[in-house]
Amino acid sequence: MTKRTLMGTRRRPVRTDAPAPDRGPWRAPGWRGLASGALSGLLAAAVALGVAELIAGITGPLGSPVVAVGGAAIDMTPIPVKDFAIAHFGSHDKTALITGIFVLLAIFAVVIGALARRWLAAGLAGLTIFGALGVSAALTRPAAGATDVLPTLAGVAAGMAALVLLIRAARSGRSELGAVRETGLETAEAAKPEGYRGLETAEVRTPETVNHGPETVNHGPDTVNHGPETVDHGPDTGPAQRLVPGRRRFLAAGAGMAVVAVAAGAGGDLLLRRFSATTARNQVRLPAAAKATPRLPAGAKLDVSGISSFYTPNNSFYRVDTDLVLPQVSPDQWTLQISGMVDRPVKLSFADLLRQPLTEADITLVCVSNEVGGPYAGNARWLGASLAGLLRRAGLRSGADQVLSTSVDGMTISTPVSAVMDGRNALLAVGMNGQPLPIAHGFPARMVVPGLYGYTSATKWITKLELTTFAAQKAYWTQRGYAAQAPIKTEARIDVPKPLSQVPKGHVAVAGVAWAPHRGISAVEVSVDNGAWHEARLAAADGIDTWRQWVWNWDATPGLHQLQVRATDGTGATQTSNRTGVFPNGATGWDSVVVTVA
Ligand SMILES: Nc1nc2c(c(=O)[nH]1)N[C@H]1C(S)=C(S)[C@@H](COP(=O)(O)O)O[C@H]1N2
Ligand SMILES: [Mo]
């Protein structure tokens, strides 16, 4: 059997059975050709992604090429871009990234398709580049395994098959160029312009350009191809009418590919559901705290409309992490290992963890990426085991000054041993506001350490604690230039009135929250139009680890006014007016809003 290749070069076929003389000279595809090429490219990309999703449904969500490439993009993102993304897209930065990836993909697919319309090999080469990107991204993701390359490989193979099928169908639409009687299966070939005919029927030539495609790529498309070709059969009545079946063939192939893409993608999504930890989470019953939690003091919550609630509800708690798909960790599979500079390495199951004496503590968590006045701070009642207790149980050795924690997603976070051991409520948390940790917030277990920015303390989906030194090892964000020591900076935020809002003259409540976790807040002051500082009324303090609500009653006069706020922490230090960005250890400066009083 003659082996056929779809990837021949664009050399003219060396054939003696010369083309029919009435065939026009070969011409490059016109605008309509480019359009059908572009559409072919888009559909082939959709098939590739759909099939990849389907296979990811079997091998696991990390192999999905968009997730792998997106994850690699996040890790490679330069700090200023990342800060820009967090500041401008906020928690939607991932949606923005995924949208960006899809837009780039679409552009690439259009180019590949248009190229393939003329040089099929170039299109297939483009897809191969695609595949190489996906495979290398999947291979380098910290939490991914070897099987995570399979979705991309299968996707690219399917995309190639789809591209070949579609391009062939698109070319057959140009059959008006040659008027040749159709006879059986030969027809479709014969009806094509000469150059194309060569491409599809030439005997094996060294397919230098794209020889990596799996064998199936050669056969797959050939086999599928014959199906639609039959569409061309039937009584032949001349050029004008023969365009129609060709076009119909392209439309049929396109619709077919769209169905394949959507069905495969939907099937993949269905399969992916079995990786969800939601059911397991619903079955968790948290034990009560070993000691009764101190009651929240009366007056810890102010009754001001629009102010941040003292406890941030779980579903509105800010979320910051590098994960495009949330890690789904079953508590049955979960273990925590404590290793490194310890006398007795410890391995803990989730059941073991729940048998520890659990502490309940109110702690305000803040992200270093929070700009002055920004939203990335939240306060919750956490339930967890004492980290200090666990480290003592493992026999912490002197000399270890860093707890390097690792998450199932490969994130590493370094926390000073001194902060964990100094008696503060450093927790290995399992509960948040009376619920098992939400999946987005680290289910089944995470760290929470009062007073330290999240990137140095709040490891979600934690699975390993290694006792080491700052001299020996660096964690994810410190590798990227963020400070290794990162106490949360004192900050007051104005929640109401909203920036640029209009308020009626007279009594206006200016209110918000102020935090200096593990130092506490001792005062908040407000100034109007750079005037004198007025002491705000503080809600009762719930210890030193949480934020405090504050309110100042302003007698507002008509006009445009600027309100500024500053806080003083429990050590007596007042916030500096000096405005800095979030890199490398948190923003400074006073929050301010401008409002119109009518
Ligand atoms: N595994 C993992 N844990 C993580 C992160 C992450 O990217 N991956 N981000 C950290 C950062 S920067 C912050 S501010 C907190 C945010 O916790 P939250 O999403 O529950 O608010 O989680 C920390 N823990
Ligand atoms: Mo953060």
Side-chain angles (χ1 to χ4, degrees):
M1 183 189 118
T2 324
K3 195 174 175 204
R4 307 200 328 160
T5 178
L6 301 159
M7 318 173 201
T9 53
R10 264 218 67 252
R11 270 181 280 149
R12 295 202 147 220
V14 207
R15 292 179 66 163
T16 44
D17 50 336
D22 58 345
R23 227 177 266 173
W26 183 85
R27 282 194 276 128
W31 284 114
R32 183 175 275 175
L34 284 181
S36 64
L39 187 57
S40 302
L42 281 174
L43 285 166
V47 166
L49 291 179
V51 168
E53 187 80 359
L54 181 64
I55 304 302
I58 298 161
T59 60
L62 295 181
S64 158
V66 173
V67 170
V69 169
I74 288 175
D75 287 357
M76 291 187 304
T77 302
I79 294 297
V81 179
K82 185 215 131 224
D83 287 343
F84 174 87
I86 290 194
H88 295 267
F89 307 123
S91 299
H92 305 300
D93 57 348
K94 297 195 174 96
T95 318
L97 175 70
I98 297 275
T99 309
I101 290 177
F102 274 114
V103 168
L104 281 178
L105 253 157
I107 293 171
F108 200 54
V110 162
V111 171
I112 283 182
L115 273 176
R117 185 70 174 77
R118 184 157 179 187
W119 302 289
L120 193 50
L124 297 177
L127 276 172
T128 308
I129 293 172
F130 242 160
L133 264 175
V135 165
S136 58
L139 280 178
T140 51
R141 302 281 62 226
T147 54
D148 288 318
V149 303
L150 295 178
T152 299
L153 291 180
V156 167
M160 286 181 168
L163 187 65
V164 170
L165 174 74
L166 289 163
I167 292 294
R168 283 188 161 192
R171 288 173 181 174
S172 76
R174 286 165 54 87
S175 55
E176 83 276 25
L177 281 177
V180 175
R181 277 213 67 79
E182 300 189 15
T183 45
L185 267 180
E186 260 324 288
T187 338
E189 300 291 357
K192 281 183 195 107
E194 184 193 329
Y196 290 132
R197 181 182 177 192
L199 266 184
E200 292 184 355
T201 55
E203 300 200 351
V204 187
R205 300 197 177 99
T206 31
E208 309 94 341
T209 25
V210 206
N211 49 1
H212 311 297
E215 275 303 286
T216 50
V217 175
N218 287 346
H219 305 306
D222 275 357
T223 25
V224 232
N225 195 27
H226 294 303
E229 274 177 11
T230 51
V231 174
D232 286 24
H233 299 168
D236 174 29
T237 38
Q241 286 182 22
R242 284 176 50 219
L243 175 64
V244 178
R247 184 115 53 90
R248 208 199 297 142
R249 177 182 166 193
F250 177 66
L251 291 178
M257 290 303 100
V259 168
V260 167
V262 170
D269 284 344
L270 268 177
L271 287 170
L272 278 169
R273 284 194 202 158
R274 76 207 150 81
F275 291 93
S276 166
T278 304
T279 312
R281 177 176 178 268
N282 290 341
Q283 285 161 0
V284 169
R285 295 286 166 267
L286 294 178
K291 275 195 312 223
T293 315
R295 281 174 60 94
L296 188 66
K301 298 177 180 178
L302 296 180
D303 185 19
V304 178
S305 106
I307 200 172
S308 304
S309 60
F310 180 72
Y311 289 113
T312 314
N314 289 356
N315 58 12
S316 52
F317 205 97
Y318 82 93
R319 174 188 160 204
V320 170
D321 52 57
T322 54
D323 300 86
L324 280 177
V325 288
L326 285 171
Q328 305 287 327
V329 185
S330 149
D332 300 341
Q333 314 278 303
W334 181 86
T335 57
L336 177 78
Q337 290 187 36
I338 307 178
S339 61
M341 297 167 73
V342 292
D343 294 330
R344 301 170 293 276
V346 168
K347 190 168 176 178
L348 218 64
S349 70
F350 191 64
D352 295 335
L353 177 55
L354 295 189
R355 277 194 290 271
Q356 307 292 310
L358 300 183
T359 307
E360 226 174 8
D362 295 343
I363 300 166
T364 296
L365 187 59
V366 183
C367 181
V368 71
S369 298
N370 194 52
E371 306 267 1
V372 169
Y376 304 123
N379 183 48
R381 174 159 288 195
W382 307 92
L383 174 73
S386 155
L387 270 172
L390 289 170
L391 296 194
R392 270 193 293 271
R393 181 172 144 195
L396 172 68
R397 291 201 193 136
S398 65
D401 62 5
Q402 178 191 181
V403 181
L404 183 65
S405 49
T406 305
S407 147
V408 297
D409 59 3
M411 170 56 64
T412 52
I413 284 181
S414 79
T415 310
V417 167
S418 56
V420 174
M421 302 304 291
D422 71 2
R424 70 183 81 187
N425 273 322
L427 298 180
L428 182 61
V430 291
M432 182 177 182
N433 291 326
Q435 301 287 318
L437 289 176
I439 291 171
H441 297 288
F443 178 78
R446 76 175 301 172
M447 277 174 53
V448 182
V449 182
L452 305 181
Y453 282 121
Y455 80 100
T456 58
S457 68
T459 322
K460 305 191 270 188
W461 316 287
I462 192 172
T463 182
K464 223 171 97 183
L465 290 174
E466 185 185 349
L467 275 299
T468 177
T469 64
F470 281 102
Q473 292 194 68
K474 278 188 171 186
Y476 186 91
W477 287 114
T478 27
Q479 284 164 19
R480 286 160 176 75
Y482 275 86
Q485 306 287 336
I488 299 171
K489 291 180 178 170
T490 304
E491 195 181 325
R493 180 174 76 197
I494 302 172
D495 290 335
V496 283
K498 299 285 174 219
L500 305 179
S501 60
Q502 211 184 60
V503 294
K505 71 176 174 15
H507 169 97
V508 172
V510 179
V513 285
W515 59 79
H518 209 55
R519 296 184 302 281
I521 288 291
S522 63
V524 170
E525 299 160 286
V526 181
S527 142
V528 184
D529 302 327
N530 291 308
W533 288 100
H534 306 278
E535 191 125 347
R537 182 162 68 87
L538 287 172
D542 174 32
I544 57 170
D545 293 339
T546 59
W547 61 21
R548 282 176 89 169
Q549 296 176 329
W550 57 268
V551 60
W552 177 65
N553 294 318
W554 178 29
D555 188 12
T557 54
L560 191 70
H561 295 291
Q562 186 199 29
L563 298 162
Q564 278 183 303
V565 66
R566 68 179 188 189
T568 300
D569 73 11
T571 73
T574 299
Q575 261 182 275
T576 170
S577 62
N578 185 33
R579 274 266 189 165
T580 65
V582 301
F583 185 83
N585 63 358
T588 62
W590 298 333
D591 191 17
S592 69
V593 301
V594 170
V595 295
T596 311
V597 179

